[in-house]
């Protein structure tokens, strides 16, 4: 039986759930049964009305009621049907207004809990509005890697913790003297020395505009003080790390980490700080840290003495090169979201190319555990695993950065999917382990998977998803591969789509990617269901353990990237169908169905991207907003 068994008799659009079909039918009837209690504007859908009421500026009317009562009633119903913790739901009822604000705007599953019957949710429907991507492509800042309410929630956790333990320190009061005994003080002076060298010894190509003065030196010592190093690192782990988990937390030591890697981690933490002064002060040092990173001698060595991709490095040499790539990736990500227009263009056109070159010279095939003996845990064994797994993740994220430039800036990919010979990443439990024994135990469980036994590469993973039909047991096994690998797979499909979008298209060419997207959806649904049902799943409310919630980071929005890929693929198909016998494009238009499929129509059209390698993200944002307008019938 089809997975979308509910079909509209008028437009033939299919749905996975009957309530979605009933909601869709109202669009044909033009009825708007849900009315705002403030301005009395009517809507076709309750969730759209609820979202509107959060931002409605009309004065309260006599009809206004406390929505938290609905939340409380719904929570009691859910508690009775699921046996949830009484304490948790009491807190939910007592803080109804707060919890409603905390619901992820792209999480339609949460709205199903509140306003629908108790049925197994179709979690992919959470992607239909593309709320996260709409926000991500219209705003700047490192904070856009999280939904606004998620970021505020985590920042508030940190603020409450700081008030509890009395660690609030005003940045303006932080100064370092030579008599300070904190061992991190040495890093403060080291960073200041690096910056002074960069600023005073400006080469022709130096990008830093600062002039080294006594005041600048004082500001540098103040911002990178020992206390701030500790504070900003805590912010980095709690607020950013879940979006990019490739630094091995258990072995990272701020006392000996390379200056460039440490500096960029501190700046990212400062940019996400709950204290408003920190981000502004951090931006003053962005260019300095970029110059510090890319002026490392290793870059010139890599360019002059490019090593064969199959060369085997010693563990220490592998770690050194790995830390260079990690610093380069973090600097590019930071400048891309927080830097000036010039810095964003520089990262997109030059720094990114250098970063890809580093990954290729490192050898993507070297990002593997093939030489790791899984006999018994030891400190030496654990160090080897940490370096090898970090190399797998770092090279993967370099590809993800490349794919992001393709998706959001229509930049031709610098990496191709067929070269992604790095292994799939191990489960988070292995990489987050705090001891060799804990890591070994987690790795033994992963050792039963086909991915570990065959040391499967990312390229092989994508090839497997795009071929033939996947049996349920195969879907189950793929679902256990983890969110990072599945997120990477859908980004690979985007990268492949770029080549199709910019070439002569034949219908058969689209089939593997369409197959891959269909299979990916099944796998992701199973993955999210298993992850939600896992009794070991724990979402922390302590800042010190937020770093472990990787499934709550950027990769949790993978379904929106899937939805965006569906839109683009169906747009390509529609464009191909619109080519007449003379080879000219006709005026055939497309309409978005509720399942993400675009159908022919003579009324509306989603414009395809026409600019290449552009600085802003307005083309893809416009595509998203047009899709939302056409498919949801709501003002956005």
């Amino acid at each position: 039986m089809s997975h979308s068994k509910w079909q509209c008799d008028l437009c033939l659009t299919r749905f996975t759930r009957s309530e979605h079909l009933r909601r869709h039918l109202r669009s044909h009837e033009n009825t708007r049964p849900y009315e705002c209690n403030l301005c009395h504007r009517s809507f076709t859908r309750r969730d759209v009305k609820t979202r509107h009421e959060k931002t409605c500026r009309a004065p309260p009317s006599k009809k206004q009621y406390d929505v938290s009562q609905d939340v409380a009633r719904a929570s009691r119903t859910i508690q009775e049907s699921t046996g949830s913790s009484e304490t948790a739901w009491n807190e939910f009822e007592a803080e109804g207004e707060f919890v409603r604000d905390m619901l992820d705007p792209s999480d339609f599953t949460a709205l199903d809990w509140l306003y629908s019957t108790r049925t197994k949710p179709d979690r992919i429907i959470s992607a239909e509005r593309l709320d996260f991507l709409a926000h991500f492509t219209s705003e700047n800042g490192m904070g856009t890697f999280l939904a606004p309410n998620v970021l505020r929630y985590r920042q508030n956790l940190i603020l409450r913790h700081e008030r509890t333990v009395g660690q609030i320190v005003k940045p303006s009061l932080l100064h370092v003297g030579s008599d300070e005994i904190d061992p991190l003080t040495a890093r403060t002076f080291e960073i200041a020395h690096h910056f002074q060298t960069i600023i005073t010894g400006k080469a022709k190509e130096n990008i830093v505009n600062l002039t080294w003065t006594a005041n600048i030196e004082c500001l540098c010592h103040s911002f990178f003080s020992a206390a701030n190093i500790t504070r900003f690192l805590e912010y980095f782990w709690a607020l950013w790390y879940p979006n990019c988990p490739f630094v091995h937390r258990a072995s990272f030591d701020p006392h000996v980490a390379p200056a460039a890697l440490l500096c960029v981690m501190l700046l990212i933490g400062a940019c996400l700080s709950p204290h408003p002064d920190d981000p502004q002060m951090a931006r003053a040092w962005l260019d300095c840290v970029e110059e510090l990173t890319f002026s490392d001698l290793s870059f010139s060595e890599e360019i002059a003495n490019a090593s064969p991709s199959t060369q085997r490095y010693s563990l220490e040499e592998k770690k050194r090169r790995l830390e260079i790539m990690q610093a380069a990736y973090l600097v590019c990500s930071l400048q891309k979201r927080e830097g000036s227009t010039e810095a964003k263009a520089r990262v997109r056109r030059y720094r990114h190319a250098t970063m890809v070159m580093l990954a290729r010279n490192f050898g993507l095939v070297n990002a593997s555990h093939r030489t790791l003996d899984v006999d018994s845990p030891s400190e030496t064994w654990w160090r080897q695993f940490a370096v090898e797994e970090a190399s797998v993740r770092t090279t993967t994220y370099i590809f993800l950065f490349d794919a992001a430039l393709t998706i959001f800036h229509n930049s031709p990919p610098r990496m191709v999917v067929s070269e992604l010979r790095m292994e799939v990443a191990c489960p988070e439990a292995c990489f987050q382990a705090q001891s060799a024994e804990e890591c070994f135990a987690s790795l033994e469980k992963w050792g039963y998977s086909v991915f570990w036994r065959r040391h499967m590469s990312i390229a092989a993973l994508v090839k497997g998803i795009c071929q033939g039909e996947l049996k349920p047991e195969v879907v189950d096994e793929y679902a256990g591969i983890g969110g990072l690998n599945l997120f990477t797979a859908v980004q690979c499909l985007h990268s492949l789509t770029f080549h199709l979008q910019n070439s002569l298209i034949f219908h058969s060419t689209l089939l593997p990617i369409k197959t891959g997207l269909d299979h990916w959806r099944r796998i992701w649904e199973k993955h999210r269901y298993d992850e939600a049902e896992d009794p070991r799943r724990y979402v922390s409310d302590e800042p010190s353990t937020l770093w472990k919630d990787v499934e709550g980071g950027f990769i949790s929005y993978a379904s929106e990237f899937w939805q965006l890929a569906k839109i683009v693929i169906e747009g390509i198909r529609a464009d191909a169908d619109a080519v007449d016998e003379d080879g000219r494009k006709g005026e055939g238009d497309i309409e978005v169905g509720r399942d993400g499929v675009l159908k022919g129509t003579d009324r509306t059209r989603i414009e395809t991207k026409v600019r290449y390698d552009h600085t802003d993200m307005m083309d893809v944002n416009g595509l998203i907003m047009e899709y939302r307008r056409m498919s949801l019938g709501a003002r956005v």
Side-chain angles (χ1 to χ4, degrees):
M1 181 180 292
S2 170
H3 290 285
S4 302
K5 62 181 180 179
W6 304 99
Q7 185 175 33
C8 174
D9 294 331
L10 297 176
C11 66
L12 304 183
T13 302
R14 290 182 175 273
F15 303 89
T16 57
R17 294 169 57 182
S18 59
E19 55 263 41
H20 296 162
L21 173 60
R22 290 196 299 270
R23 186 172 62 188
H24 166 78
L25 289 174
R26 289 199 296 270
S27 66
H28 293 301
E29 299 169 358
N30 198 30
T31 59
R32 305 171 73 86
Y34 303 108
E35 183 180 276
C36 173
N37 294 281
L38 301 176
C39 66
H40 304 297
R41 178 183 171 188
S42 59
F43 300 87
T44 58
R45 290 168 48 180
R46 187 194 299 256
D47 58 285
V48 176
K49 184 267 293 185
T50 303
R51 188 161 47 253
H52 160 80
E53 286 183 331
K54 292 182 180 180
T55 57
C56 183
R57 295 293 183 264
S61 68
K62 294 181 179 179
K63 292 180 61 179
Q64 184 178 8
Y65 61 95
D66 185 1
V67 182
S68 63
Q69 294 177 1
D70 279 354
V71 177
R73 284 194 296 270
S75 68
R76 285 193 292 270
T77 302
I78 297 168
Q79 181 181 354
E80 294 171 358
S81 62
T82 64
S84 300
S85 167
E86 180 178 355
T87 302
W89 281 111
N90 285 341
E91 294 175 356
F92 185 98
E93 293 173 6
E95 298 181 3
E97 186 74 20
F98 173 76
V99 174
R100 282 190 301 106
D101 289 342
M102 291 312 305
L103 293 177
D104 190 323
S106 65
D107 189 2
F108 271 58
T109 301
L111 294 170
D112 283 339
W113 279 93
L114 295 177
Y115 297 114
S116 301
T117 58
R118 181 72 169 96
T119 59
K120 181 181 176 180
D122 179 9
R123 286 173 174 78
I124 209 72
I125 203 65
S126 68
E128 68 174 1
R129 280 193 55 85
L130 300 178
D131 284 304
F132 173 77
L133 286 180
H135 170 70
F136 185 81
T137 56
S138 61
E139 301 290 340
N140 290 317
M142 297 299 282
T144 56
F145 282 88
L146 292 171
N149 52 350
V150 175
L151 178 61
R152 287 196 302 271
Y153 173 72
R154 295 187 178 188
Q155 287 176 330
N156 287 336
L157 282 180
I158 290 173
L159 287 174
R160 287 199 294 270
H161 175 73
E162 289 180 341
R163 284 194 291 267
T164 300
V165 300
Q167 289 183 345
I168 296 180
V169 181
K170 293 184 178 180
S172 60
L173 299 180
L174 292 171
H175 296 279
V176 177
S178 58
D179 57 344
E180 187 167 342
I181 61 173
D182 192 307
L184 287 175
T185 299
R187 302 312 309 264
T188 301
F189 285 96
E190 179 188 353
I191 292 170
H193 173 72
H194 280 303
F195 287 179
Q196 181 180 8
T197 302
I198 289 172
I199 294 173
T200 58
K202 290 180 180 179
K204 182 178 180 180
E205 64 277 9
N206 197 313
I207 61 174
V208 181
N209 294 321
L210 291 176
T211 300
W212 191 259
T213 63
N215 184 48
I216 292 295
E217 182 176 8
C218 181
L219 290 175
C220 182
H221 278 270
S222 176
F223 184 80
F224 292 100
S225 68
N228 270 350
I229 290 176
T230 301
R231 190 165 62 95
F232 293 154
L233 278 179
E234 290 176 353
Y235 299 161
F236 172 87
W237 296 118
L239 300 174
W240 170 254
Y241 185 77
N243 298 303
C244 183
F246 62 28
V247 177
H248 191 236
R249 174 76 187 266
S251 61
F252 179 81
D253 185 354
H255 299 89
V256 298
L261 179 59
L262 176 63
C263 282
V264 68
M265 292 171 67
L266 297 177
L267 289 187
I268 291 175
C271 286
L272 293 171
S273 169
H275 304 286
D277 289 343
D278 291 333
Q280 182 178 358
M281 297 175 67
R283 294 186 190 102
W285 306 107
L286 296 183
D287 291 344
C288 283
V289 173
E290 180 189 342
E291 186 68 18
L292 173 63
T293 301
F294 285 94
S295 63
D296 190 287
L297 291 178
S298 301
F299 285 90
S300 57
E301 290 174 4
E302 292 283 356
I303 295 172
N305 305 304
S307 304
S309 61
T310 56
Q311 178 175 330
R312 299 298 179 184
Y313 302 110
S314 68
L315 190 63
E316 289 305 315
E317 175 66 11
K318 196 171 186 178
K319 182 178 180 182
R320 186 185 71 84
R321 292 169 180 260
L322 175 63
E323 290 172 334
I324 294 169
M325 290 192 293
Q326 290 174 338
Y329 174 89
L330 292 176
V331 164
C332 288
S333 297
L334 180 61
Q335 286 282 45
K336 176 70 176 58
R337 302 304 297 185
E338 296 280 356
S340 63
T341 301
E342 295 78 10
K344 293 176 181 177
R346 186 170 59 246
V347 162
R348 196 176 68 256
R349 295 173 180 171
Y350 306 111
R351 302 304 197 189
H352 168 53
T354 303
M355 183 167 61
V356 171
M357 176 273 298
L358 282 173
R360 285 203 179 104
N361 288 343
F362 177 82
L364 301 182
V365 71
N366 289 330
S368 166
H369 292 291
R370 290 182 181 87
T371 62
L372 184 69
D373 293 326
V374 191
D375 294 329
S376 60
S378 67
E379 290 300 315
T380 301
W381 173 88
W382 192 27
R383 284 196 299 272
Q384 180 182 351
F385 169 82
V387 171
E388 291 178 351
E389 180 63 17
S391 67
V392 168
R393 290 165 176 255
T394 302
T395 51
T396 297
Y397 271 93
I398 289 175
F399 165 74
L400 292 178
F401 192 93
D402 183 73
L405 294 184
T406 299
I407 295 170
F408 298 121
H409 301 278
N410 210 25
S411 300
R414 292 185 179 271
M415 302 180 73
V416 294
V417 176
S418 60
E419 74 172 316
L420 303 182
R421 303 288 301 282
M422 71 284 277
E423 283 188 23
V424 298
C426 289
E428 297 302 328
C430 301
F431 198 58
Q432 294 178 357
Q434 299 297 293
S435 67
E437 291 74 20
E438 182 184 347
C439 176
F440 189 82
S442 299
L443 196 60
E444 278 191 318
K445 298 177 183 177
W446 175 241
Y448 292 104
S449 72
V450 65
F451 309 105
W452 176 263
R453 296 197 309 269
R454 298 181 182 176
H455 295 286
M456 183 179 288
S457 67
I458 293 295
L461 169 66
V462 175
K463 184 177 180 180
I465 291 177
C466 293
Q467 290 182 340
E469 180 178 354
L470 296 185
K471 296 180 179 180
E473 57 269 23
V474 178
V475 171
D476 290 347
E477 185 151 21
Y478 272 88
I481 202 170
L484 172 56
N485 295 313
L486 291 178
F487 182 81
T488 303
V490 79
Q491 302 300 77
C492 287
L493 295 176
H494 269 286
S495 184
L496 293 171
T497 299
F498 178 89
H499 297 290
L500 294 180
Q501 195 176 19
N502 294 277
S503 63
L504 295 176
I505 300 299
F506 300 94
H507 285 228
S508 60
T509 311
L510 292 169
L511 183 58
I513 295 182
K514 293 176 69 175
T515 300
L517 287 171
D518 291 341
H519 288 163
W520 188 93
R521 169 183 174 142
R522 293 173 57 199
I523 296 167
W524 180 257
E525 278 293 281
K526 184 65 168 62
H527 163 72
R528 294 297 280 178
Y529 181 81
D530 291 347
E531 186 262 341
E533 296 297 320
D534 189 346
R536 297 169 298 177
R537 168 69 171 156
Y538 174 67
V539 179
S540 172
D541 58 357
E542 290 293 332
S544 60
T545 54
L546 282 175
W547 67 277
K548 293 185 176 183
D549 188 23
V550 173
E551 291 287 349
F554 191 70
I555 63 175
S556 65
Y557 304 103
S559 55
E560 293 202 15
F561 286 88
W562 170 87
Q563 185 80 349
L564 182 60
K566 290 281 288 185
I567 295 170
V568 174
I569 282 292
E570 294 299 337
I572 294 173
R573 182 188 60 79
D575 284 344
D577 290 342
V579 176
D580 62 22
E581 356 181 281
D582 295 327
R584 295 172 301 179
K585 281 190 178 182
E587 296 301 323
D589 294 319
I590 51 178
E591 181 181 57
V592 184
R594 295 289 296 169
D595 57 356
V597 176
L598 289 84
K599 303 180 180 300
T601 175
D602 58 358
R603 297 190 302 273
T604 55
R605 179 172 183 81
I606 294 182
E607 296 294 334
T608 56
K609 293 179 284 188
V610 294
R611 297 187 299 160
Y612 292 90
D613 194 32
H614 47 83
T615 299
D616 61 67
M617 296 182 284
M618 295 313 298
D619 285 355
V620 68
N621 181 263
L623 177 70
I624 291 170
M625 302 308 283
E626 182 67 4
Y627 162 75
R628 285 159 53 117
R629 184 187 68 80
M630 291 165 56
S631 65
L632 301 175
R635 181 176 298 178
V636 294

